Amino acid sequence: MGKLIEAAVAHFSSQEVRSMEVPEWGVTVFAKNLTLEDKSKWLKRAQEDTTDYMVYAVIFGAIDEKGESLFDVGDKAPLRNAVDPDVLSKVANFVLKLDADSEEEREKNS
């Protein structure tokens, strides 16, 4: 049997890009698969401020169908101060995979 690390890496590499409809913004947001390194960089940059961490998750983790970033660092202030915080939280949680069950899983369990 091969090394477990090979199976772990293969599993991560095979994960598909996820998508979520954001009707409030009239767009489908995609999220790349995040590594611990990604999350660590954002947390360090946010200086452990939870709000900044969520904003960085949206800035660096939300992409379009072509894999291009939807936001850049220049969007930080408007995202913090002029965007519906509930929608931003929903997108950040999606990017960070904090919402344990997808819509499909919730429907299956209903």
Side-chain angles (χ1 to χ4, degrees):
M1 184 171 159
K3 291 186 175 185
L4 182 55
I5 189 65
E6 293 168 2
V9 169
H11 168 257
F12 182 75
S13 298
S14 70
Q15 291 182 1
E16 294 182 18
V17 173
R18 299 170 294 113
S19 65
M20 178 181 79
E21 294 293 322
V22 184
E24 298 88 346
W25 296 349
V27 69
T28 299
V29 172
F30 294 81
K32 60 184 182 177
N33 294 309
L34 305 177
T35 65
L36 282 177
E37 184 66 20
D38 293 327
K39 293 180 179 185
S40 174
K41 285 179 186 176
W42 303 344
L43 190 58
K44 184 175 182 179
R45 188 174 193 150
Q47 298 178 1
E48 299 189 32
D49 178 304
T50 305
T51 302
D52 275 355
Y53 181 62
M54 292 175 64
V55 169
Y56 287 132
V58 172
I59 291 171
F60 296 115
I63 55 175
D64 66 16
E65 65 278 354
K66 296 177 184 172
E68 301 291 325
S69 295
L70 295 172
F71 299 99
D72 62 39
V73 177
D75 298 320
K76 181 182 174 190
L79 286 168
R80 278 189 63 99
N81 302 306
V83 172
D84 183 330
D86 294 330
V87 177
L88 184 74
S89 294
K90 181 172 68 170
V91 174
N93 287 338
F94 163 70
V95 168
L96 294 167
K97 284 182 121 172
L98 297 179
D99 199 10
D101 292 328
S102 68
E103 284 293 322
E104 291 176 10
E105 290 297 315
R106 281 192 287 270
E107 288 175 10
K108 283 183 206 175
N109 294 328
S110 296

